[in-house]
Amino acid sequence: MQLKYWGISVALLLPMHAKAVGYSSEYISCVNSGSNAFSSCAKDEFKYQDDRLEALFKKTLVVYSDKDKKVQNKYQKQWLKQRDKRCGEDNKSVSDAYKSKYYLCALKDTVNRANTLEKLSFRYDASTYFTKRR
């Protein structure tokens, strides 16, 4: 019987965290506005998501030992370099088309990575909450 109530408690907590995952409402509004400034929408959202990624990355580091934090920091730096290389950061100054291509690609990758880290941080928060309550 207690397991049933625990499941309901978790289900009630999920929507609060799940709504933060993904693109911002400002970006969705900007894209849906039909504005020709789509590149600007993507660039602004990329900045927002990049900041979100950094904050979530720092939040997830608390579960690691000092040695593992160094490994995770190294991995994160490699991931950022690979994202920028794959998305063509070097070419974004060539033209507006390349700039748009870069921001759209980098935005997609950044949102996906941030979502993954957010899910990990939620799992950590939930497990910490439930182990402290016992």
Side-chain angles (χ1 to χ4, degrees), residues 79-109:
W79 183 87
L80 291 167
K81 284 181 185 179
Q82 288 173 348
R83 175 203 64 192
D84 289 343
K85 183 177 180 181
R86 192 178 71 72
C87 293
E89 184 186 35
D90 292 344
N91 296 328
K92 75 179 185 181
S93 61
V94 172
S95 69
D96 287 342
Y98 277 107
K99 185 184 290 186
S100 274
K101 183 179 175 186
Y102 168 74
Y103 282 116
L104 290 172
C105 175
L107 174 59
K108 179 183 167 199
D109 285 359

PDB file of all heavy atoms in Angstrom, residues 79-109:
ATOM      1  N   TRP A  79      33.200  17.680 -25.226  1.00  0.00           N
ATOM      2  CA  TRP A  79      31.869  17.685 -25.827  1.00  0.00           C
ATOM      3  C   TRP A  79      31.588  19.041 -26.483  1.00  0.00           C
ATOM      4  O   TRP A  79      31.091  19.105 -27.612  1.00  0.00           O
ATOM      5  CB  TRP A  79      30.790  17.362 -24.781  1.00  0.00           C
ATOM      6  CG  TRP A  79      29.435  17.300 -25.395  1.00  0.00           C
ATOM      7  CD1 TRP A  79      28.847  16.216 -25.971  1.00  0.00           C
ATOM      8  CD2 TRP A  79      28.523  18.393 -25.569  1.00  0.00           C
ATOM      9  NE1 TRP A  79      27.614  16.567 -26.477  1.00  0.00           N
ATOM     10  CE2 TRP A  79      27.392  17.901 -26.241  1.00  0.00           C
ATOM     11  CE3 TRP A  79      28.551  19.736 -25.205  1.00  0.00           C
ATOM     12  CZ2 TRP A  79      26.298  18.689 -26.567  1.00  0.00           C
ATOM     13  CZ3 TRP A  79      27.457  20.535 -25.526  1.00  0.00           C
ATOM     14  CH2 TRP A  79      26.350  20.006 -26.202  1.00  0.00           C
ATOM     15  N   LEU A  80      31.916  20.123 -25.794  1.00  0.00           N
ATOM     16  CA  LEU A  80      31.697  21.466 -26.337  1.00  0.00           C
ATOM     17  C   LEU A  80      32.509  21.687 -27.613  1.00  0.00           C
ATOM     18  O   LEU A  80      31.995  22.228 -28.598  1.00  0.00           O
ATOM     19  CB  LEU A  80      32.051  22.530 -25.295  1.00  0.00           C
ATOM     20  CG  LEU A  80      31.109  22.610 -24.091  1.00  0.00           C
ATOM     21  CD1 LEU A  80      31.729  23.450 -22.983  1.00  0.00           C
ATOM     22  CD2 LEU A  80      29.748  23.146 -24.499  1.00  0.00           C
ATOM     23  N   LYS A  81      33.763  21.254 -27.607  1.00  0.00           N
ATOM     24  CA  LYS A  81      34.608  21.390 -28.802  1.00  0.00           C
ATOM     25  C   LYS A  81      34.044  20.589 -29.967  1.00  0.00           C
ATOM     26  O   LYS A  81      33.995  21.065 -31.105  1.00  0.00           O
ATOM     27  CB  LYS A  81      36.043  20.932 -28.512  1.00  0.00           C
ATOM     28  CG  LYS A  81      36.852  21.916 -27.713  1.00  0.00           C
ATOM     29  CD  LYS A  81      38.258  21.386 -27.486  1.00  0.00           C
ATOM     30  CE  LYS A  81      39.034  22.316 -26.585  1.00  0.00           C
ATOM     31  NZ  LYS A  81      40.398  21.818 -26.326  1.00  0.00           N
ATOM     32  N   GLN A  82      33.614  19.360 -29.689  1.00  0.00           N
ATOM     33  CA  GLN A  82      33.047  18.514 -30.742  1.00  0.00           C
ATOM     34  C   GLN A  82      31.752  19.107 -31.287  1.00  0.00           C
ATOM     35  O   GLN A  82      31.506  19.081 -32.491  1.00  0.00           O
ATOM     36  CB  GLN A  82      32.804  17.097 -30.220  1.00  0.00           C
ATOM     37  CG  GLN A  82      34.073  16.326 -30.006  1.00  0.00           C
ATOM     38  CD  GLN A  82      33.829  14.983 -29.331  1.00  0.00           C
ATOM     39  OE1 GLN A  82      32.753  14.701 -28.822  1.00  0.00           O
ATOM     40  NE2 GLN A  82      34.861  14.141 -29.320  1.00  0.00           N
ATOM     41  N   ARG A  83      30.925  19.642 -30.409  1.00  0.00           N
ATOM     42  CA  ARG A  83      29.676  20.270 -30.850  1.00  0.00           C
ATOM     43  C   ARG A  83      29.977  21.427 -31.792  1.00  0.00           C
ATOM     44  O   ARG A  83      29.411  21.530 -32.880  1.00  0.00           O
ATOM     45  CB  ARG A  83      28.881  20.782 -29.640  1.00  0.00           C
ATOM     46  CG  ARG A  83      27.625  21.560 -30.033  1.00  0.00           C
ATOM     47  CD  ARG A  83      27.135  22.508 -28.960  1.00  0.00           C
ATOM     48  NE  ARG A  83      28.093  23.561 -28.700  1.00  0.00           N
ATOM     49  CZ  ARG A  83      28.023  24.383 -27.670  1.00  0.00           C
ATOM     50  NH1 ARG A  83      27.071  24.260 -26.765  1.00  0.00           N
ATOM     51  NH2 ARG A  83      28.917  25.336 -27.514  1.00  0.00           N
ATOM     52  N   ASP A  84      30.885  22.290 -31.377  1.00  0.00           N
ATOM     53  CA  ASP A  84      31.203  23.465 -32.197  1.00  0.00           C
ATOM     54  C   ASP A  84      31.845  23.073 -33.522  1.00  0.00           C
ATOM     55  O   ASP A  84      31.548  23.670 -34.560  1.00  0.00           O
ATOM     56  CB  ASP A  84      32.097  24.426 -31.416  1.00  0.00           C
ATOM     57  CG  ASP A  84      31.344  25.122 -30.289  1.00  0.00           C
ATOM     58  OD1 ASP A  84      30.095  25.124 -30.308  1.00  0.00           O
ATOM     59  OD2 ASP A  84      32.007  25.654 -29.377  1.00  0.00           O
ATOM     60  N   LYS A  85      32.690  22.067 -33.505  1.00  0.00           N
ATOM     61  CA  LYS A  85      33.316  21.607 -34.748  1.00  0.00           C
ATOM     62  C   LYS A  85      32.272  20.983 -35.671  1.00  0.00           C
ATOM     63  O   LYS A  85      32.202  21.294 -36.858  1.00  0.00           O
ATOM     64  CB  LYS A  85      34.417  20.596 -34.439  1.00  0.00           C
ATOM     65  CG  LYS A  85      35.159  20.127 -35.664  1.00  0.00           C
ATOM     66  CD  LYS A  85      36.283  19.177 -35.312  1.00  0.00           C
ATOM     67  CE  LYS A  85      36.999  18.743 -36.573  1.00  0.00           C
ATOM     68  NZ  LYS A  85      38.080  17.816 -36.277  1.00  0.00           N
ATOM     69  N   ARG A  86      31.439  20.098 -35.116  1.00  0.00           N
ATOM     70  CA  ARG A  86      30.422  19.423 -35.907  1.00  0.00           C
ATOM     71  C   ARG A  86      29.413  20.404 -36.497  1.00  0.00           C
ATOM     72  O   ARG A  86      28.951  20.249 -37.621  1.00  0.00           O
ATOM     73  CB  ARG A  86      29.697  18.391 -35.047  1.00  0.00           C
ATOM     74  CG  ARG A  86      28.825  17.432 -35.844  1.00  0.00           C
ATOM     75  CD  ARG A  86      28.159  16.404 -34.972  1.00  0.00           C
ATOM     76  NE  ARG A  86      27.102  16.934 -34.142  1.00  0.00           N
ATOM     77  CZ  ARG A  86      25.922  17.331 -34.599  1.00  0.00           C
ATOM     78  NH1 ARG A  86      25.667  17.281 -35.868  1.00  0.00           N
ATOM     79  NH2 ARG A  86      25.008  17.790 -33.779  1.00  0.00           N
ATOM     80  N   CYS A  87      29.104  21.436 -35.744  1.00  0.00           N
ATOM     81  CA  CYS A  87      28.102  22.409 -36.194  1.00  0.00           C
ATOM     82  C   CYS A  87      28.697  23.525 -37.046  1.00  0.00           C
ATOM     83  O   CYS A  87      27.967  24.354 -37.571  1.00  0.00           O
ATOM     84  CB  CYS A  87      27.372  22.990 -34.986  1.00  0.00           C
ATOM     85  SG  CYS A  87      26.337  21.777 -34.124  1.00  0.00           S
ATOM     86  N   GLY A  88      30.010  23.546 -37.190  1.00  0.00           N
ATOM     87  CA  GLY A  88      30.648  24.512 -38.072  1.00  0.00           C
ATOM     88  C   GLY A  88      30.822  25.902 -37.496  1.00  0.00           C
ATOM     89  O   GLY A  88      30.614  26.896 -38.184  1.00  0.00           O
ATOM     90  N   GLU A  89      31.231  25.974 -36.252  1.00  0.00           N
ATOM     91  CA  GLU A  89      31.433  27.287 -35.638  1.00  0.00           C
ATOM     92  C   GLU A  89      32.438  28.131 -36.417  1.00  0.00           C
ATOM     93  O   GLU A  89      32.269  29.349 -36.548  1.00  0.00           O
ATOM     94  CB  GLU A  89      31.887  27.154 -34.188  1.00  0.00           C
ATOM     95  CG  GLU A  89      32.000  28.511 -33.507  1.00  0.00           C
ATOM     96  CD  GLU A  89      32.580  28.439 -32.112  1.00  0.00           C
ATOM     97  OE1 GLU A  89      33.461  27.603 -31.861  1.00  0.00           O
ATOM     98  OE2 GLU A  89      32.145  29.251 -31.290  1.00  0.00           O
ATOM     99  N   ASP A  90      33.459  27.508 -36.952  1.00  0.00           N
ATOM    100  CA  ASP A  90      34.485  28.240 -37.708  1.00  0.00           C
ATOM    101  C   ASP A  90      33.903  28.935 -38.943  1.00  0.00           C
ATOM    102  O   ASP A  90      34.445  29.940 -39.408  1.00  0.00           O
ATOM    103  CB  ASP A  90      35.613  27.308 -38.142  1.00  0.00           C
ATOM    104  CG  ASP A  90      36.442  26.810 -36.963  1.00  0.00           C
ATOM    105  OD1 ASP A  90      36.357  27.406 -35.865  1.00  0.00           O
ATOM    106  OD2 ASP A  90      37.161  25.807 -37.134  1.00  0.00           O
ATOM    107  N   ASN A  91      32.813  28.406 -39.477  1.00  0.00           N
ATOM    108  CA  ASN A  91      32.217  28.965 -40.699  1.00  0.00           C
ATOM    109  C   ASN A  91      31.106  29.978 -40.446  1.00  0.00           C
ATOM    110  O   ASN A  91      30.592  30.557 -41.391  1.00  0.00           O
ATOM    111  CB  ASN A  91      31.648  27.832 -41.559  1.00  0.00           C
ATOM    112  CG  ASN A  91      32.729  26.907 -42.047  1.00  0.00           C
ATOM    113  OD1 ASN A  91      33.856  27.319 -42.291  1.00  0.00           O
ATOM    114  ND2 ASN A  91      32.406  25.631 -42.158  1.00  0.00           N
ATOM    115  N   LYS A  92      30.730  30.194 -39.187  1.00  0.00           N
ATOM    116  CA  LYS A  92      29.568  31.039 -38.926  1.00  0.00           C
ATOM    117  C   LYS A  92      29.786  32.500 -39.321  1.00  0.00           C
ATOM    118  O   LYS A  92      28.823  33.224 -39.533  1.00  0.00           O
ATOM    119  CB  LYS A  92      29.087  30.918 -37.483  1.00  0.00           C
ATOM    120  CG  LYS A  92      29.911  31.596 -36.449  1.00  0.00           C
ATOM    121  CD  LYS A  92      29.282  31.403 -35.075  1.00  0.00           C
ATOM    122  CE  LYS A  92      30.064  32.197 -34.059  1.00  0.00           C
ATOM    123  NZ  LYS A  92      29.550  32.042 -32.727  1.00  0.00           N
ATOM    124  N   SER A  93      31.040  32.918 -39.481  1.00  0.00           N
ATOM    125  CA  SER A  93      31.293  34.295 -39.903  1.00  0.00           C
ATOM    126  C   SER A  93      31.278  34.455 -41.430  1.00  0.00           C
ATOM    127  O   SER A  93      31.354  35.563 -41.941  1.00  0.00           O
ATOM    128  CB  SER A  93      32.628  34.783 -39.337  1.00  0.00           C
ATOM    129  OG  SER A  93      33.683  33.977 -39.816  1.00  0.00           O
ATOM    130  N   VAL A  94      31.162  33.349 -42.156  1.00  0.00           N
ATOM    131  CA  VAL A  94      31.187  33.379 -43.618  1.00  0.00           C
ATOM    132  C   VAL A  94      29.937  34.071 -44.178  1.00  0.00           C
ATOM    133  O   VAL A  94      30.031  34.914 -45.069  1.00  0.00           O
ATOM    134  CB  VAL A  94      31.314  31.943 -44.204  1.00  0.00           C
ATOM    135  CG1 VAL A  94      31.147  31.942 -45.710  1.00  0.00           C
ATOM    136  CG2 VAL A  94      32.647  31.332 -43.802  1.00  0.00           C
ATOM    137  N   SER A  95      28.773  33.700 -43.641  1.00  0.00           N
ATOM    138  CA  SER A  95      27.527  34.284 -44.139  1.00  0.00           C
ATOM    139  C   SER A  95      26.422  34.091 -43.108  1.00  0.00           C
ATOM    140  O   SER A  95      26.569  33.326 -42.158  1.00  0.00           O
ATOM    141  CB  SER A  95      27.112  33.628 -45.461  1.00  0.00           C
ATOM    142  OG  SER A  95      26.717  32.286 -45.228  1.00  0.00           O
ATOM    143  N   ASP A  96      25.298  34.769 -43.338  1.00  0.00           N
ATOM    144  CA  ASP A  96      24.151  34.598 -42.449  1.00  0.00           C
ATOM    145  C   ASP A  96      23.620  33.169 -42.501  1.00  0.00           C
ATOM    146  O   ASP A  96      23.135  32.645 -41.506  1.00  0.00           O
ATOM    147  CB  ASP A  96      23.037  35.593 -42.811  1.00  0.00           C
ATOM    148  CG  ASP A  96      23.376  37.013 -42.391  1.00  0.00           C
ATOM    149  OD1 ASP A  96      24.273  37.192 -41.535  1.00  0.00           O
ATOM    150  OD2 ASP A  96      22.739  37.945 -42.915  1.00  0.00           O
ATOM    151  N   ALA A  97      23.708  32.550 -43.664  1.00  0.00           N
ATOM    152  CA  ALA A  97      23.236  31.171 -43.796  1.00  0.00           C
ATOM    153  C   ALA A  97      24.068  30.227 -42.925  1.00  0.00           C
ATOM    154  O   ALA A  97      23.515  29.354 -42.236  1.00  0.00           O
ATOM    155  CB  ALA A  97      23.283  30.730 -45.256  1.00  0.00           C
ATOM    156  N   TYR A  98      25.381  30.389 -42.936  1.00  0.00           N
ATOM    157  CA  TYR A  98      26.241  29.558 -42.103  1.00  0.00           C
ATOM    158  C   TYR A  98      26.009  29.853 -40.623  1.00  0.00           C
ATOM    159  O   TYR A  98      26.045  28.947 -39.787  1.00  0.00           O
ATOM    160  CB  TYR A  98      27.725  29.768 -42.443  1.00  0.00           C
ATOM    161  CG  TYR A  98      28.186  28.965 -43.629  1.00  0.00           C
ATOM    162  CD1 TYR A  98      28.435  29.576 -44.847  1.00  0.00           C
ATOM    163  CD2 TYR A  98      28.384  27.593 -43.532  1.00  0.00           C
ATOM    164  CE1 TYR A  98      28.871  28.845 -45.940  1.00  0.00           C
ATOM    165  CE2 TYR A  98      28.814  26.846 -44.613  1.00  0.00           C
ATOM    166  CZ  TYR A  98      29.052  27.479 -45.816  1.00  0.00           C
ATOM    167  OH  TYR A  98      29.483  26.743 -46.895  1.00  0.00           O
ATOM    168  N   LYS A  99      25.783  31.130 -40.314  1.00  0.00           N
ATOM    169  CA  LYS A  99      25.515  31.513 -38.937  1.00  0.00           C
ATOM    170  C   LYS A  99      24.239  30.834 -38.448  1.00  0.00           C
ATOM    171  O   LYS A  99      24.196  30.269 -37.357  1.00  0.00           O
ATOM    172  CB  LYS A  99      25.381  33.030 -38.803  1.00  0.00           C
ATOM    173  CG  LYS A  99      25.230  33.512 -37.364  1.00  0.00           C
ATOM    174  CD  LYS A  99      25.006  35.007 -37.290  1.00  0.00           C
ATOM    175  CE  LYS A  99      26.258  35.737 -37.681  1.00  0.00           C
ATOM    176  NZ  LYS A  99      26.156  37.197 -37.492  1.00  0.00           N
ATOM    177  N   SER A 100      23.191  30.876 -39.256  1.00  0.00           N
ATOM    178  CA  SER A 100      21.928  30.216 -38.907  1.00  0.00           C
ATOM    179  C   SER A 100      22.121  28.723 -38.730  1.00  0.00           C
ATOM    180  O   SER A 100      21.615  28.118 -37.779  1.00  0.00           O
ATOM    181  CB  SER A 100      20.874  30.444 -39.992  1.00  0.00           C
ATOM    182  OG  SER A 100      20.209  31.628 -39.800  1.00  0.00           O
ATOM    183  N   LYS A 101      22.848  28.134 -39.658  1.00  0.00           N
ATOM    184  CA  LYS A 101      23.104  26.695 -39.602  1.00  0.00           C
ATOM    185  C   LYS A 101      23.827  26.334 -38.303  1.00  0.00           C
ATOM    186  O   LYS A 101      23.471  25.356 -37.643  1.00  0.00           O
ATOM    187  CB  LYS A 101      23.926  26.263 -40.812  1.00  0.00           C
ATOM    188  CG  LYS A 101      24.185  24.787 -40.879  1.00  0.00           C
ATOM    189  CD  LYS A 101      24.986  24.414 -42.116  1.00  0.00           C
ATOM    190  CE  LYS A 101      25.329  22.932 -42.102  1.00  0.00           C
ATOM    191  NZ  LYS A 101      26.210  22.548 -43.173  1.00  0.00           N
ATOM    192  N   TYR A 102      24.836  27.121 -37.957  1.00  0.00           N
ATOM    193  CA  TYR A 102      25.576  26.858 -36.718  1.00  0.00           C
ATOM    194  C   TYR A 102      24.660  26.942 -35.502  1.00  0.00           C
ATOM    195  O   TYR A 102      24.624  26.030 -34.667  1.00  0.00           O
ATOM    196  CB  TYR A 102      26.758  27.817 -36.544  1.00  0.00           C
ATOM    197  CG  TYR A 102      27.315  27.731 -35.143  1.00  0.00           C
ATOM    198  CD1 TYR A 102      28.072  26.628 -34.752  1.00  0.00           C
ATOM    199  CD2 TYR A 102      27.030  28.706 -34.188  1.00  0.00           C
ATOM    200  CE1 TYR A 102      28.544  26.513 -33.452  1.00  0.00           C
ATOM    201  CE2 TYR A 102      27.500  28.589 -32.888  1.00  0.00           C
ATOM    202  CZ  TYR A 102      28.250  27.494 -32.524  1.00  0.00           C
ATOM    203  OH  TYR A 102      28.711  27.364 -31.234  1.00  0.00           O
ATOM    204  N   TYR A 103      23.925  28.051 -35.368  1.00  0.00           N
ATOM    205  CA  TYR A 103      23.098  28.235 -34.180  1.00  0.00           C
ATOM    206  C   TYR A 103      22.003  27.181 -34.060  1.00  0.00           C
ATOM    207  O   TYR A 103      21.711  26.705 -32.964  1.00  0.00           O
ATOM    208  CB  TYR A 103      22.524  29.649 -34.111  1.00  0.00           C
ATOM    209  CG  TYR A 103      23.550  30.648 -33.644  1.00  0.00           C
ATOM    210  CD1 TYR A 103      23.976  31.677 -34.464  1.00  0.00           C
ATOM    211  CD2 TYR A 103      24.127  30.543 -32.380  1.00  0.00           C
ATOM    212  CE1 TYR A 103      24.945  32.573 -34.044  1.00  0.00           C
ATOM    213  CE2 TYR A 103      25.093  31.431 -31.952  1.00  0.00           C
ATOM    214  CZ  TYR A 103      25.500  32.445 -32.784  1.00  0.00           C
ATOM    215  OH  TYR A 103      26.463  33.333 -32.356  1.00  0.00           O
ATOM    216  N   LEU A 104      21.403  26.796 -35.173  1.00  0.00           N
ATOM    217  CA  LEU A 104      20.374  25.763 -35.116  1.00  0.00           C
ATOM    218  C   LEU A 104      20.950  24.415 -34.692  1.00  0.00           C
ATOM    219  O   LEU A 104      20.376  23.705 -33.868  1.00  0.00           O
ATOM    220  CB  LEU A 104      19.653  25.648 -36.458  1.00  0.00           C
ATOM    221  CG  LEU A 104      18.747  26.820 -36.802  1.00  0.00           C
ATOM    222  CD1 LEU A 104      18.241  26.692 -38.240  1.00  0.00           C
ATOM    223  CD2 LEU A 104      17.586  26.902 -35.837  1.00  0.00           C
ATOM    224  N   CYS A 105      22.089  24.068 -35.242  1.00  0.00           N
ATOM    225  CA  CYS A 105      22.752  22.807 -34.899  1.00  0.00           C
ATOM    226  C   CYS A 105      23.222  22.819 -33.442  1.00  0.00           C
ATOM    227  O   CYS A 105      22.933  21.887 -32.675  1.00  0.00           O
ATOM    228  CB  CYS A 105      23.937  22.594 -35.846  1.00  0.00           C
ATOM    229  SG  CYS A 105      24.937  21.140 -35.458  1.00  0.00           S
ATOM    230  N   ALA A 106      23.922  23.868 -33.058  1.00  0.00           N
ATOM    231  CA  ALA A 106      24.450  23.965 -31.695  1.00  0.00           C
ATOM    232  C   ALA A 106      23.317  24.036 -30.674  1.00  0.00           C
ATOM    233  O   ALA A 106      23.413  23.460 -29.584  1.00  0.00           O
ATOM    234  CB  ALA A 106      25.367  25.173 -31.563  1.00  0.00           C
ATOM    235  N   LEU A 107      22.244  24.726 -31.035  1.00  0.00           N
ATOM    236  CA  LEU A 107      21.090  24.811 -30.149  1.00  0.00           C
ATOM    237  C   LEU A 107      20.482  23.434 -29.907  1.00  0.00           C
ATOM    238  O   LEU A 107      20.235  23.042 -28.767  1.00  0.00           O
ATOM    239  CB  LEU A 107      20.039  25.766 -30.739  1.00  0.00           C
ATOM    240  CG  LEU A 107      18.706  25.857 -30.013  1.00  0.00           C
ATOM    241  CD1 LEU A 107      18.900  26.301 -28.567  1.00  0.00           C
ATOM    242  CD2 LEU A 107      17.775  26.814 -30.752  1.00  0.00           C
ATOM    243  N   LYS A 108      20.275  22.698 -30.965  1.00  0.00           N
ATOM    244  CA  LYS A 108      19.694  21.353 -30.847  1.00  0.00           C
ATOM    245  C   LYS A 108      20.564  20.465 -29.959  1.00  0.00           C
ATOM    246  O   LYS A 108      20.065  19.800 -29.047  1.00  0.00           O
ATOM    247  CB  LYS A 108      19.533  20.730 -32.232  1.00  0.00           C
ATOM    248  CG  LYS A 108      18.962  19.338 -32.208  1.00  0.00           C
ATOM    249  CD  LYS A 108      18.908  18.761 -33.612  1.00  0.00           C
ATOM    250  CE  LYS A 108      18.648  17.275 -33.553  1.00  0.00           C
ATOM    251  NZ  LYS A 108      18.994  16.591 -34.763  1.00  0.00           N
ATOM    252  N   ASP A 109      21.854  20.438 -30.218  1.00  0.00           N
ATOM    253  CA  ASP A 109      22.773  19.606 -29.434  1.00  0.00           C
ATOM    254  C   ASP A 109      22.808  20.050 -27.968  1.00  0.00           C
ATOM    255  O   ASP A 109      22.834  19.224 -27.059  1.00  0.00           O
ATOM    256  CB  ASP A 109      24.184  19.666 -30.012  1.00  0.00           C
ATOM    257  CG  ASP A 109      24.340  18.870 -31.293  1.00  0.00           C
ATOM    258  OD1 ASP A 109      23.349  18.247 -31.740  1.00  0.00           O
ATOM    259  OD2 ASP A 109      25.444  18.883 -31.853  1.00  0.00           O
TER     260      ASP A 109
END
